[in-house]
Amino acid sequence: MIRLLLAEDQHVVRGALVALLGLEPDLEVVAETATADDVLPRALVFRPDVAVLDIEMPGRLDGLQAAAALKQQLPDCRTLMLTSLGRPGLLRKALDAKVDGFLLKTAPPADLVAAIRRVASGGRVLDPSLAVAAWDLADNPLTPRENDVLRELAEGAEPPEIAARLHLSTGTVRNVLTAVVGKLNARNRTDAVRIARDAGWL
C-alpha cells in the first residue's frame, strides 16, 4: 500500500483527488491539508510514502518550499508536484528543489495514478508537455539584489519602502529597478514583475 499525503487548497479539487485515489487498491490518502505550512507537521505524524503537493497554496510556504522541507526532514517521503502553471521557470524551481515528479493538473487521472506509483518506486516523472521546456530553461539574468528589490516591488512596496526594508538608499533602489527593466526588456516596472513571475524567478 502506498501511503499518500495530499496538499491542495481548493476543497473541491482536493475532495475529487481523494475520491479518485481512493478507488485504487494500492493507494491510500492518509493525510490531507489545504496549506503548505501543514505539510511537514502532518508528514511527520502520518509518515506518507509520497506527498502530492500543489505548488501554489496560501500561507507562509508554497508547495516547493514544503517539498524542500520534506526532503530535509523526511527524506524517505517522495514528492510529486501538481500545478496548473506550466511555466519553464517554475519547472526550474521544482528541479532545483529536487522534487521527484512534476505534473500539470490537466493531466488525465490515469497519468496521475501512474506518476504516483512511479515516484513511489523511486522513479522520476515529468509531465510530457513540459519535456521540451525542460531543455530550454532560461537562467535568471537578475542578481540576488535585483531579485530582492523586484520581489518587494511585486508585493506592492514603493521605492522608499523597499529602500528601508533592504537597507539601501532610495536612489539605489530606483537605479536597480531601471537596470531590471532593461535586463528583462520590459516596458516598465509592472511589466518587469510580470516577466519575472512568468519565468518563475519571483
Side-chain angles (χ1 to χ4, degrees):
M1 184 67 72
I2 300 171
R3 295 165 55 82
L4 304 175
L5 181 152
L6 181 61
E8 162 62 60
D9 64 307
Q10 296 183 33
H11 297 288
V12 173
V13 174
R14 190 171 73 252
L17 287 172
V18 169
L20 169 75
L21 297 173
L23 297 174
E24 300 298 323
D26 58 337
L27 304 181
E28 180 187 8
V29 178
V30 296
E32 54 179 287
T33 178
T35 70
D37 296 351
D38 287 340
V39 167
L40 182 61
R42 287 181 186 255
L44 290 172
V45 171
F46 292 97
R47 300 284 167 164
D49 301 304
V50 178
V52 181
L53 310 175
D54 185 11
I55 289 182
E56 296 197 332
M57 288 182 281
R60 189 174 50 87
L61 303 177
D62 63 22
L64 289 174
Q65 291 167 319
L70 282 175
K71 282 286 182 196
Q72 188 172 25
Q73 298 196 43
L74 205 64
D76 289 341
C77 178
R78 310 277 290 168
T79 51
L80 174 62
M81 309 309 299
L82 291 181
T83 182
S84 56
L85 306 169
R87 301 188 307 232
L90 203 56
L91 176 57
R92 173 180 285 282
K93 283 185 176 179
L95 296 176
D96 288 346
K98 304 285 193 293
V99 303
D100 303 297
F102 191 94
L103 203 63
L104 292 178
K105 288 183 180 180
T106 53
D111 287 4
L112 172 60
V113 171
I116 289 171
R117 289 181 179 132
R118 183 164 182 185
V119 164
S121 66
R124 306 283 299 273
V125 174
L126 176 62
D127 194 291
S129 66
L130 294 172
V132 175
W135 292 103
D136 191 29
L137 292 173
D139 286 322
N140 184 349
L142 304 180
T143 66
R145 173 180 281 184
E146 288 168 343
N147 237 84
D148 289 343
V149 169
L150 191 61
R151 186 172 290 110
E152 293 288 343
L153 182 76
E155 291 174 1
E158 293 294 326
E161 193 178 356
I162 297 171
R165 288 182 187 174
L166 300 181
H167 309 290
L168 302 169
S169 72
T170 302
T172 297
V173 169
R174 292 187 197 283
N175 289 340
V176 167
L177 288 172
T178 299
V180 166
V181 168
K183 276 188 180 181
L184 300 184
N185 292 318
R187 293 187 302 275
N188 51 41
R189 294 173 182 175
T190 303
D191 193 39
V193 169
R194 179 193 61 77
I195 291 169
R197 275 188 171 146
D198 285 350
W201 300 327
L202 290 181

